[in-house]
C-alpha cells in the first residue's frame, strides 16, 4: 500500500518524519503532534483512529531508526485496561509525552512478583521505557492465582535503576511493599491487545526493513566493481528486487490486519503470521544490507550496522518467528499464533 493512496496517512507520516528531526525529547515532539492520542479510544480523550494511525507511526519510527519502545508499551497497557481504570494523572503525562506506561508479565509468565494485602513485592525489568509513570503487572496472589495490578511508580516502596540493555536504555524496578490497585483484564481484551501489539511491532520491523533496503540500494548504485556499479550485477540486483517486492506485499497485509482489528474482526492468526513474516523479512533485509556494504558495513558507527543491531533486538521482542508460526501456547495458555500457512501468493 502506497501512503499516497491515503491522504491522512500520508500527512501523518510526513508529520512524524518532521518531529523526528527534533533535537529535543522525541516522545514530547511526537506528543505535540497528537501521538499517542491519535490511536487512543475516544473514551480516553483520543481521536479513535486506532491501528490505522498507529502502524503509520511505527513504520516511520522504524525507518528513522528510532524504535521508541515506550510508545508501543504504553499503547499495549492502554489497550489492556478499561478506560475507567486508567488513572487521570498518568493519562495526562502520557498525552504530553512526559510519562509512559509498561506491562510486566503481560506477554509472558506471571514471574516473580508477589502481591500480599494490597502490597507488591519483587523486581521487574529491564523495561525498555524511559520516564515510566504507570505499570500494569501480573503477580501471584495469596490465593495462588495470577492477578492484574496497577502500580504508580511514584508510590512508596518503588525504586528504579536506569541502565542499558542490548544497546537500548532500560529501567529496572524494585517493589518493596508498594501499594497497588487490582484491576480486571478480560481474556477477550487481552487477546485483542496482544494482537494490536503484534501488528504495531510488525509495522516497526517493516519500517526498519525499508531503511535497510533503501540504504543498500543507494550503496550499490554508488559502489563500483569490475568497472560498473554493483547494482548492475544480477546477483545483487535480483536479491534486492526480491526483498523490495516482498516488502510491498507485507505492507498490504499490515494495513489489512490493522483494518480488521479496528473493525473488531478476529485477527489473531493474521497478526501472528504477519509478525513472523515481518521479523524474517527485516532480518533478511538487515543481513543483505550489511553484506553488500562489506567491511564498511561492519563498522559500529555505520548505518548498516546500526540497522542490524536494532533489528536483532526488535525481532525478539514479542517472540521468535518459529514460535509465532507454529502457534505454541502464549501466556496463561493464550495462543500466540496458528499453524495456518501464509497466503500462497506471498509465500
Amino acid at each position: 500500500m502506497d501512503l499516497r493512496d491515503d491522504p491522512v496517512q500520508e500527512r501523518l507520516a510526513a508529520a512524524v518524519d518532521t518531529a523526528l528531526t527534533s533535537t529535543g525529547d522525541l516522545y514530547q515532539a511526537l506528543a505535540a503532534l497528537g501521538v499517542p492520542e491519535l490511536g487512543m479510544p475516544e473514551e480516553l480523550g483520543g481521536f479513535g483512529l486506532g491501528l490505522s494511525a498507529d502502524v503509520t507511526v511505527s513504520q516511520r519510527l522504524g525507518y528513522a531508526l528510532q524504535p521508541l519502545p515506550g510508545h508501543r508499551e504504553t499503547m499495549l497497557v492502554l489497550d489492556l485496561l478499561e478506560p475507567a481504570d486508567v488513572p487521570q494523572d498518568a493519562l495526562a503525562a502520557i498525552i504530553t509525552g512526559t510519562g509512559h506506561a509498561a506491562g510486566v508479565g503481560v506477554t509472558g509468565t506471571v514471574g516473580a512478583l508477589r502481591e500480599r494485602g494490597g502490597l507488591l513485592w519483587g523486581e521487574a525489568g529491564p523495561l525498555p521505557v524511559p520516564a515510566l509513570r504507570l505499570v500494569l503487572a501480573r503477580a501471584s496472589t495469596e490465593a495462588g492465582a495470577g492477578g492484574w495490578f496497577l502500580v504508580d511508580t511514584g508510590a512508596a516502596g518503588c525504586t528504579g535503576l536506569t541502565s542499558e540493555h542490548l544497546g537500548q536504555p532500560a529501567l529496572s524496578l524494585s517493589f518493596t511493599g508498594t501499594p497497588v490497585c487490582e484491576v480486571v483484564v478480560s481474556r477477550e481484551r487481552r487477546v485483542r491487545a496482544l494482537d494490536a501489539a503484534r501488528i504495531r511491532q510488525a509495522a516497526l520491523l517493516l519500517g526498519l526493513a525499508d531503511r535497510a533496503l533503501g540504504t543498500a540500494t543507494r550503496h550499490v548504485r554508488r559502489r563500483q566493481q569490475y568497472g560498473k556499479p554493483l547494482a548492475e550485477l544480477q546477483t545483487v540486483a535480483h536479491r534486492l528486487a526480491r526483498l523490495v517486492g516482498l516488502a510491498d506485499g507485507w505492507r498490504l497485509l499490515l494495513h489489512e490486519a490493522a483494518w480488521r482489528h479496528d473493525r473488531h474482526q478476529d485477527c489473531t492468526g493474521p497478526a501472528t503470521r504477519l509478525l513472523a513474516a515481518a521479523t524474517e523479512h527485516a532480518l533478511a533485509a538487515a543481513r543483505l544490507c550489511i553484506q553488500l556494504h562489506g567491511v564498511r558495513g561492519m563498522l559500529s558507527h555505520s548505518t548498516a550496522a546500526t540497522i542490524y543491531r536494532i533489528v536483532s533486538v526488535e525481532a525478539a521482542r514479542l517472540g521468535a518467528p518459529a514460535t509465532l508460526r507454529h502457534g505454541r501456547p502464549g501466556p496463561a495458555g493464550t495462543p500466540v499464533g496458528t499453524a495456518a500457512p501464509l497466503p500462497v501468493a506471498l509465500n
Side-chain angles (χ1 to χ4, degrees):
M1 177 179 180
D2 192 328
L3 289 178
R4 289 173 295 182
D5 296 335
D6 189 321
V8 174
Q9 290 185 333
E10 179 186 6
R11 294 288 295 273
L12 176 57
V16 171
D17 289 346
T18 300
L20 290 171
T21 64
S22 171
T23 57
D25 185 274
L26 291 181
Y27 285 102
Q28 294 182 35
L30 290 171
L33 297 176
V35 178
E37 286 178 282
L38 294 172
M40 285 169 52
E42 295 178 15
E43 295 88 342
L44 287 176
F47 293 95
L49 298 182
L51 279 181
S52 295
D54 276 348
V55 294
T56 299
V57 173
S58 293
Q59 277 186 288
R60 301 315 300 169
L61 292 179
Y63 190 86
L65 307 185
Q66 296 286 352
L68 300 187
H71 170 67
R72 296 188 305 285
E73 283 283 327
T74 297
M75 297 308 294
L76 172 58
V77 170
L78 294 179
D79 285 342
L80 285 165
L81 292 172
E82 296 286 349
D85 291 332
V86 180
Q88 290 303 306
D89 54 346
L91 180 61
I94 288 170
I95 289 175
T96 58
T98 57
H100 312 285
V104 176
V106 172
T107 58
T109 58
V110 174
L113 293 182
R114 307 178 308 282
E115 183 271 341
R116 297 291 185 273
L119 301 178
L120 191 65
W121 306 83
E123 296 182 353
L127 302 172
V129 181
L132 191 57
R133 184 67 181 77
L134 184 68
V135 172
L136 176 62
R138 294 179 69 222
S140 61
T141 62
E142 293 176 308
W148 294 84
F149 303 93
L150 276 180
V151 190
D152 185 336
T153 56
C158 178
T159 57
L161 177 64
T162 57
S163 61
E164 187 176 277
H165 181 65
L166 298 177
Q168 300 289 331
L171 179 68
S172 296
L173 296 176
S174 177
F175 304 109
T176 53
T178 305
V180 293
C181 175
E182 186 169 11
V183 293
V184 176
V185 178
S186 67
R187 176 183 173 83
E188 179 184 3
R189 197 168 190 92
R190 188 179 182 197
V191 168
R192 278 187 53 78
L194 291 177
D195 285 345
R198 294 180 190 114
I199 294 170
R200 291 188 191 99
Q201 189 69 16
L204 178 84
L205 287 163
L206 290 179
L208 286 164
D210 287 344
R211 180 62 177 270
L213 294 175
T215 300
T217 300
R218 287 189 293 273
H219 175 73
V220 297
R221 285 174 177 170
R222 294 191 305 263
R223 180 69 171 168
Q224 297 277 329
Q225 191 169 10
Y226 307 119
K228 58 183 178 181
L230 280 175
E232 295 184 15
L233 298 177
Q234 287 191 1
T235 53
V236 172
H238 287 175
R239 292 176 72 187
L240 279 170
R242 178 179 179 275
L243 287 177
V244 169
L246 284 173
D248 289 338
W250 299 138
R251 280 193 295 273
L252 283 171
L253 290 184
L254 169 70
H255 288 281
E256 180 186 357
W259 183 88
R260 288 170 61 97
H261 188 277
D262 287 343
R263 283 151 184 77
H264 293 270
Q265 298 180 16
D266 176 37
C267 63
T268 297
T272 52
R273 294 194 296 273
L274 170 65
L275 178 54
T279 301
E280 291 174 338
H281 175 70
L283 288 169
R287 284 194 293 265
L288 180 59
C289 181
I290 209 167
Q291 288 168 4
L292 292 178
H293 277 77
V295 175
R296 288 190 180 97
M298 300 175 68
L299 299 175
S300 61
H301 64 273
S302 71
T303 301
T306 301
I307 293 170
Y308 188 83
R309 285 195 300 269
I310 296 175
V311 169
S312 298
V313 172
E314 297 300 333
R317 196 175 292 282
L318 292 181
T323 302
L324 295 165
R325 281 191 188 280
H326 298 295
R328 297 173 186 172
T334 302
V336 297
T338 68
L342 287 163
V344 174
L346 293 175
N347 256 340

